[in-house]
DNA sequence: GCGACAG
DNA sequence: ATCTTGTCGC
């Protein structure tokens, strides 16, 4: 048995140290598609808070990639250890997210994270960090941009345009995409996390967008993390079909 | 010094 | 993220 090669981030109250750690880990991000085709299972992740922020609540939802049927859901609650600091989001939320991931009955082929992938000052947004720590293919789906600029976006569903980091001059390297997942809605900011290419990111997201702005994996995790609405019933038969463990589909909350 | 600033 | 009612548009 070997120890976890990459432990979840630990906050030591030192912003500069955390930034250095991000720069180092960003070195290990791989932007090449490296996941099963066709995709069998997907997982969506998001975080919410309880007790005025004292408790960090991470939600994970495993779905069947072919039908988008929920196969399992998990919620992990951990004491909140640091405040929100732009650019250091993963140090605050990743421990809970990894806990939720490990509680899933099966390992997902691709992980959708609420937040940015490499569209980050040091190219290690929470989705990229999640990929490095877990070793799994991941991509980021954010509702607002953290850094970068992009041209005007067409109103048509599915339209996308590059998001580039212009902080070091024009044109600037591409760090992600602004994606019109739904007409009449603000665009989504999509970027590769780990083991996913820049070119595939928009398609991977649109492939799982139905009638809402957010793709199903993230949309469902969002509701579970924020304790809103109800989760569609999990399909135990599908979980079995997928050749996954016959773990009881305990749906928390 | 003045904005920008994932969740 | 979270606190919250009504309101605008398809």
């Amino acid at each position: 048995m070997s120890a976890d090669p990459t432990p979840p981030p630990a906050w030591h109250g030192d912003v500069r140290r955390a930034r250095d750690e991000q720069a180092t880990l960003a070195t290990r991000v791989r932007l090449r598609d490296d996941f099963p085709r066709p995709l069998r299972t997907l997982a969506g992740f998001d975080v919410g808070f309880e007790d005025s922020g004292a408790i960090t609540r991470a939600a994970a939802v495993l779905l069947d990639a072919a039908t988008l049927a929920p196969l399992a859901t998990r919620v992990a609650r951990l004491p909140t250890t640091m405040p929100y600091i732009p650019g250091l989001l993963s140090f605050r939320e990743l421990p809970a997210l990894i806990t939720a991931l490990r509680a899933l009955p099966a390992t997902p082929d691709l992980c959708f994270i609420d937040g940015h992938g490499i569209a980050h000052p040091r190219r290690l947004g929470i989705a990229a960090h999640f990929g490095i720590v877990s070793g799994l293919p991941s991509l980021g789906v954010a509702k607002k941009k953290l850094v970068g600029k992009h041209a005007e976006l067409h109103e048509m569903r599915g339209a996308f345009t590059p998001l580039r980091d212009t902080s070091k001059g024009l044109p600037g390297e591409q760090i992600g995409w602004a994606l019109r997942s739904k007409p009449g809605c603000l665009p989504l900011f999509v970027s590769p996390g780990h083991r996913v290419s820049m070119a595939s990111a928009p398609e991977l997201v649109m492939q799982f967008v139905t009638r809402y702005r957010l793709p199903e994996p993230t949309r469902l995790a969002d509701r579970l993390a924020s304790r809103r609405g109800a989760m569609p019933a999990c399909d135990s038969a599908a979980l079995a079909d997928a050749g996954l463990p016959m773990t009881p589909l305990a749906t928390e909350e």
Side-chain angles (χ1 to χ4, degrees):
Chain A
M1 301 298 104
S2 60
D4 190 342
T6 310
W11 176 241
H12 294 166
D14 187 335
V15 172
R16 286 190 353 182
R17 178 174 166 182
R19 288 178 177 158
D20 286 344
E21 193 175 323
Q22 293 182 319
T24 297
L25 290 175
T27 280
R28 297 166 50 184
V29 169
R30 292 296 171 262
L31 302 182
R32 297 258 297 168
D33 287 321
D34 180 27
F35 46 83
R37 294 267 192 194
L39 287 164
R40 298 264 279 151
T41 59
L42 311 172
F45 298 83
D46 189 24
V47 169
F49 295 88
E50 301 176 8
D51 298 296
S52 303
I55 298 297
T56 298
R57 175 195 172 90
V61 178
L62 184 69
L63 330 182
D64 179 300
T67 66
L68 293 189
L71 300 176
T73 64
R74 294 291 187 277
V75 171
R77 297 184 183 70
L78 275 67
T80 301
T81 61
M82 73 173 277
Y84 164 67
I85 298 176
L88 298 184
L89 181 66
S90 60
F91 283 78
R92 173 174 159 88
E93 306 186 343
L94 206 47
L97 288 176
I98 294 300
T99 298
L101 166 68
R102 290 176 174 152
L104 287 175
T107 301
D109 287 340
L110 177 62
C111 302
F112 287 62
I113 316 296
D114 188 300
H116 294 285
I118 62 170
H120 176 278
R122 290 164 294 283
R123 309 294 180 266
L124 197 83
I126 191 165
H129 202 158
F130 179 103
I132 292 301
V133 171
S134 68
L136 303 177
S138 66
L139 72 81
V141 181
K143 295 180 286 298
K144 296 188 297 187
K145 75 179 179 68
L146 173 59
V147 293
K149 298 292 183 185
H150 67 83
E152 284 204 13
L153 188 56
H154 290 178
E155 199 53 52
M156 172 185 270
R157 173 197 151 102
F160 53 89
T161 188
L163 174 67
R164 354 185 73 99
D165 181 350
T166 59
S167 66
K168 295 176 181 173
L170 300 175
E173 74 170 299
Q174 185 177 355
I175 56 178
W177 306 89
L179 170 68
R180 186 80 70 188
S181 57
K182 177 178 179 177
C185 285
L186 291 173
L188 244 34
F189 294 91
V190 179
S191 58
H194 185 48
R195 296 170 58 181
V196 168
S197 71
M198 182 63 79
S200 300
E203 303 158 16
L204 287 170
V205 171
M206 286 311 295
Q207 186 177 338
F208 305 109
V209 167
T210 60
R211 60 180 303 195
Y212 308 94
R213 179 162 82 123
L214 299 177
E216 289 305 281
T218 291
R219 189 179 75 80
L220 295 178
D222 221 71
R223 304 185 56 169
L224 188 55
S226 301
R227 28 173 56 187
R228 280 174 290 157
M231 286 298 297
C234 290
D235 188 341
S236 59
L239 181 60
D241 285 350
L244 305 177
M246 290 181 63
T247 305
L249 296 182
T251 298
E252 276 106 299
E253 291 315 276

